Amino acid sequence: MKKRRLVMRSVILLILGAAVAYTLYANFTKEDSKKVVMGEKAPDFVLVDLDGETHRLSDYEGQGVFLNFWGTYCKPCEREMPYMDNQYKQFKDNGVQTLAVNVGESELAVSKFTERHNLSFPILLDKDGQVQTAYKIGALPATYLIDKEGKVVKYHTGQLTEEMIKDFMEEVQP
Amino acid sequence: MVSLSGNLLYVAFILYLIATVFFAGSIKDKKGKQLEKGPNKWAKIGVFLTILGFVANVGYFITRWIAAGHAPVSNLFEFTTFFGMCLVGAFIIIYFIYKTPVLGVFALPVAILLIAYASMFPKEISPLIPALQSDWLHIHVTTAAAGQAILAISFAAGLIYLVKSLDQTKATKSNFWLEAIMYGLVCTLGFIIMTTVFSSMGYKAEFNYIDKFDQEAQIEYAMPAIIGPNEWELLTDDKFEPLLAMPGIINAKKLNTVIWSIAAGSILYLLLRLVLRKRIGAALQPLTKHINLDLVDEIGYRSVLIGFPVFTLGALVFAMIWAQIAWTRFWGWDPKEVWALITFLFYAAYLHLRLSKGWHGEKSAWLAVIGFIIIMFNLVAVNLVIAGLHSYAG
Amino acid sequence: MNHVKCECGHVNPHGTILCESCGRVLVESEKEKKLVDMRYEGSARRSQTYNKTFIDKIWNFFSSVKVGVWLIVITLVASALGTLLPQEMYIPPVMPASEFYEDQYGWIGKLFYDLGFHNLYSSWWYLILIASIGISLVICSLDRMIPLWRALKAQRVTRHEGFLKRQRVFGVTEVNLDDSSQKIIEKLKAKRYNVREEDGNILAEKGRFSRWGPYVNHIGLIIFLIGGMLRFVPGMYIDEVLWVREGETKLIPETDGEYYLKNNEFILEVYDKDKDNEAFSEAIEKNGMVAKNYQSNVTLYKKIGETVAGQEQELEKVKDEAIQVNQPLKFESFALYQVDYKMDELNQMTFSLSNKQKNETFGELKIDLYNPQDQYDLGNGYSVEIMSYFPDFEFNTEGEPTTKSKVPNNPAFVFKMITPDKQDGEISFVAIQQTIEPFGDNDYKLDFVGIDTLNVSALTVRKDLTLWILAVGGIIFMIGVAQGSYWNHRRIWIRKVNDEVWVAGHTNKNWHGLKRDIELVLEDTGIKEPEDQVQKEEGQE
């Protein structure tokens, strides 16, 4: 009788405690839930680059993908562009593709920017923001790393150094 | 229609004043008689006048509704007036249950002060902004006001309890606080008097000043400026020059009004003390001599019991439903919402203390008084001082 | 376990004050008192009886009403403090919160921010406070409801003299009950009492269910809090803002690429002194513009077939709707609300090319600010090339032209004007109200002709799957509160003791009503109306 009461009380307290703990945990990780879940399959997309060529993410399965979101008005994006370009040249034939998705600016602005910085990797235009919505992009620059199975393995916002870009690319290199 | 409406409100106001006198008279008349044989003639006239006033008050409400095309509860004047009207309505109901004229002596003046206070704010009929265009405006606001009004009856009962039960021959802490409440009520009267005096004089003084965003702005004072706004420059000729300027983040105009009200209230209070030669609480004590303390306690408790569900329904449940429709979320921690929650929590604590901890009588009466202060804070300070989504023009 | 056996034969749980069955006072100290404490019918509150292990101690902590009230009071005070200054979500986005509070409110603002009050209602300690109230609700209710239920079920008609004597309403009359008992019972029944008889003694009871009110409303509150908690579960609650320009079709976030929205038109209406209700004219004159309507006329589309993001998709119209404040667009579990707007955002700009000296014009070019072309051919060998485009132009710290955003708030261009006599072109930098000719005086210039503007609507995209749980909790709470507040549990005991009739009454509230009932029932029976022992006492003082 006494024992049963103790068990009952323990169970009730445990349930209540667990509920509170979960709520607190969820409250402090709610910012994290606003991005694509790590380890999940990256949302597929099809976009056309400045040269008119179509890129489909799922076509790159078997390779790692360095997926960068950027805008011409974003200073840190501008600063990391040359590093990305260098590393792109290193890795493009070693199994890591670089895709830089512009966040819906005019083609003119993007192409002038690309000419000015002499960028060689594919610049994709996400005109109506569908891909940004799918990847829940907020602050720029934002970078996702996708492995050869098409799964998201890393997410980073803010400017990258050349060293970091290199490490990232090595990480998803097959 | 609009002027008819205004006149009806005026009639109601006067009738409430006269009714209060009759209720007070009913106690002085033939000692102790009404305890045995029910209310005496004075009390009967008093309640008749109250009902008449209430009818006129409802008349004001209906005619204004017709004129505006929406329930007149959309700005501070309309809401506070409605609150006063509900308070009288609640008093009438409680009066017929318990037959206690002394409740009228305390509840009616509170209603009168509320209505007078309301009239100090802009009275024109304002069109509804998009967020207010909903039937929930009527449902939410009227229920919330009714709940608050019923809860306010417990304040009147609490005051009666304290006035009767406190030993006025000694200077105690309780007496001090009761007197502070009386002083607060007198200051409200001070505010009403000063506003009326200066507006009947047509006092207007314009200032240029620098607001909190470092922008130049203009403001018009309706009372002589003791406190001027940040870096003021008086534009109107021959008006009183401020003695002091406030930094930009403080609303100097409102502070100025508060200072005038307190000054007028203090003078009024001192005069009252000089005339009465005792504390206001002590002066009111004879009015309560025939009433049974236990009955007052029960009236207070019952009005909380009746008012609490109504308040919860109006100020929280209906409020949440409407907020979900108009503001996309049922709860957003807007100051007004938070203060409704605080009121709810406070009365919940009141009920728990009473039911489980046996806080009856004096403790319960003090809680009822504090509860009303919270309601008034929500009505006055949250609308005028703490800006939020509920801020009304004023 | 040490149960307490009463003289009447009933076995009570340990800690019982008044026998559940006959009401005899079981605890010595209570016998001294003039009146019994009827709050929980004198039943044994479980928490007070076991206090052995750690678990029991936690349990007992939360089971205390005193703790519950303290939690309420602390929450109340904390909530009030949070309203002193605006919460972070309500401050204007002019500067970061860390600077805003100090800048606006001085040291008070800094303290407010440093203490974390700018986000008080989602702080961990506030959440813990609310959660503790929830735990207290569960445990307090469990601890009190079960014993109370036992006690009310076990109560007997014939109550112990000591119990009756210690009731607040109590009276003794020397009269024979049997003469009038039938009449009394009839009257009690007419007043809707449940009447039980035993050996000629009477127990009349009504409104017992009002005693469950507090527990019902606590259950409602617990359900409400569970609903609030579920909001944190991913997918239950969505809060996004969608800005969409007139004429634009945009994917609605969080719909898995399924739904698209086209903004056909945004309408802003203000009250008109002459056309609207004339009762408003004073207010309109005083306040200037008063908004009457914010409305987005939209079309909702659904995607047909499987496509991936970025692919051209085929859309099927679902419905046209006018979204207004208070009238959201609803589909599936989503609702779109009108929350903000921007009037007259730049969309197109028109320039004309002319010769400075002769003032001849050579055609116009209309630039779509969201998709400008590289080159605009004006014919006859005249053309204009866009060298650079800055939609939201400013000079950066190095004095170079840059853009602040992708929105054309302040467009600027570097044009190359190619004319038959200047085949290499002349360069001109053109911004609003400003032209710079970096390579000396040009012969040609671009004159600003006009702009086309569009309105932009901001719509909140909301999904809240917790609403129905909150509604259920709210309804149960209101039922419980009404049940407990508007009904009273009244009991009247009438018992023969030797040659006397003892009458006692109890109610959980509204003694006035109980006394009126007793008065009516005892009329013309020769039994004296019982006295209110509390009021009598006061009268004597």
Side-chain angles (χ1 to χ4, degrees), chain B residues 67 128 130-131 133 249 294 298 302 305-306 309 322 324-326 328 330 332-333 339 345 355-356 386, chain C residues 39-40 72 83 90 104 121 168 231 271 277 292 326 337 462 470 478 481 485-486 509-512 535:
Chain B
L128 295 182
Q133 294 166 13
I249 58 156
D294 202 55
E298 183 169 325
R302 282 206 83 196
L305 270 180
I306 299 171
W322 189 18
Q324 180 72 29
I325 296 168
T328 83
F330 62 89
W333 300 107
W339 278 93
L345 289 174
L355 286 168
S356 298
I386 303 173
Chain C
R39 252 177 272 143
Y40 300 103
I72 292 175
T83 63
Y90 289 118
Q104 291 286 308
Y121 305 110
R168 179 171 157 181
R231 141 160 324 193
Y271 283 96
N277 189 341
K292 185 182 182 181
N326 275 310
Y337 295 85
R462 166 85 66 234
L470 298 171
M478 283 316 301
V481 171
S485 304
Y486 298 146
K509 58 187 168 286
N510 190 6
W511 292 88
H512 193 72
Q535 286 186 8

Side-chain angles (χ1 to χ4, degrees), chain A residues 5-6 9-10 12-13 19-20 22-23 26-28 44-46 56 73 75 103 105-106 108 112 130 133, chain C residues 46 50 53 56 59 122 124 127 131 229 232 260 308-310 313 370 372 374 386-387 389 402-403 405-406:
Chain A
R5 192 187 313 279
L6 184 66
R9 285 181 174 185
S10 309
I12 293 172
L13 283 175
V20 175
Y22 174 76
T23 309
N27 186 43
F28 293 110
D44 197 11
F45 61 81
V46 177
R56 185 177 180 128
Y73 51 88
K75 291 292 142 204
V103 291
E105 291 178 275
S106 63
L108 179 89
K112 296 287 175 199
Q130 285 188 47
T133 307
Chain C
R46 297 181 171 211
Y50 306 95
T53 61
D56 288 329
W59 186 273
S122 53
W124 60 270
L127 287 181
M229 212 176 75
F232 294 112
Y260 290 76
V308 297
Q313 62 298 103
Y370 284 91
D374 288 2
I386 299 182
M387 309 282 290
Y389 170 43
T402 52
T403 183
S405 72
K406 59 180 174 180

Side-chain angles (χ1 to χ4, degrees), chain B residues 2 66-70 97-98 122-134 136 161 212-213 249 292-295 298 301-302 305-310 312-313 317 320 322-339 341-346 348-349 351-358 374 377 386-387 389 393, chain C residues 39-40 65-66 69 72-73 75-76 79-80 83-84 87 89-90 92 103-106 121 126 130 133 144 168 214 218 221 224 231 237 239 271 277 279-284 286-287 290-294 325-328 337-339 460 462 464 466-467 470 474 477-478 481-482 484-486 488 508-513 515-516 532 534-535 538:
Chain B
V2 179
I66 295 168
H70 60 255
I97 300 177
Y98 292 103
K123 286 195 282 283
E124 69 268 358
I125 295 180
S126 34
L128 295 182
I129 57 163
L132 295 181
Q133 294 166 13
S134 167
W136 287 103
Y161 193 100
K212 63 178 175 186
F213 303 110
I249 58 156
N292 186 303
L293 272 183
D294 202 55
L295 183 66
E298 183 169 325
Y301 177 44
R302 282 206 83 196
L305 270 180
I306 299 171
F308 182 71
V310 178
T312 311
L313 190 68
V317 176
M320 285 190 205
W322 189 18
Q324 180 72 29
I325 296 168
W327 293 333
T328 83
R329 80 291 182 286
F330 62 89
W331 193 260
W333 300 107
D334 175 68
K336 193 88 181 174
E337 292 174 340
V338 176
W339 278 93
L341 176 69
I342 288 170
T343 313
F344 170 84
L345 289 174
F346 181 83
L351 291 172
H352 282 97
L353 286 170
R354 200 173 164 110
L355 286 168
S356 298
K357 295 272 139 220
I374 292 177
F377 185 86
I386 303 173
L389 294 168
Chain C
R39 252 177 272 143
Y40 300 103
V65 172
K66 201 166 149 191
V69 171
I72 292 175
V73 171
T75 311
L76 187 158
S79 308
T83 63
L84 278 179
Q87 289 288 299
M89 58 195 154
Y90 289 118
D103 183 78
Q104 291 286 308
Y105 306 102
Y121 305 110
Y126 193 81
I130 301 280
I133 290 181
R144 285 173 179 72
R168 179 171 157 181
H218 285 180
L221 280 179
F224 192 91
R231 141 160 324 193
Y237 178 76
D239 178 22
Y271 283 96
N277 189 341
F280 298 153
S281 56
E282 200 188 333
I284 296 170
K286 202 162 148 188
N287 302 320
V290 181
K292 185 182 182 181
N293 185 23
Y294 303 120
V325 181
N326 275 310
Q327 260 145 34
Y337 295 85
Q338 177 71 49
V339 286
T460 285
R462 166 85 66 234
D464 192 343
T466 67
L467 287 179
L470 298 171
F477 173 78
M478 283 316 301
V481 171
S485 304
Y486 298 146
N488 323 304
N508 57 343
K509 58 187 168 286
N510 190 6
W511 292 88
H512 193 72
K515 281 185 254 173
R516 241 182 352 203
D532 185 328
V534 173
Q535 286 186 8
E538 251 168 38

Side-chain angles (χ1 to χ4, degrees), chain B residues 157-189:
Chain B
L159 270 189
I160 297 172
Y161 193 100
L162 294 172
V163 166
K164 184 178 168 87
S165 70
L166 294 184
D167 179 5
Q168 290 285 357
T169 56
K170 285 178 252 164
T172 58
K173 221 189 253 176
S174 309
N175 276 328
F176 171 80
W177 286 112
L178 179 63
E179 211 51 21
I181 305 286
M182 297 297 172
Y183 174 71
L185 291 172
V186 173
C187 282
T188 313
L189 192 61

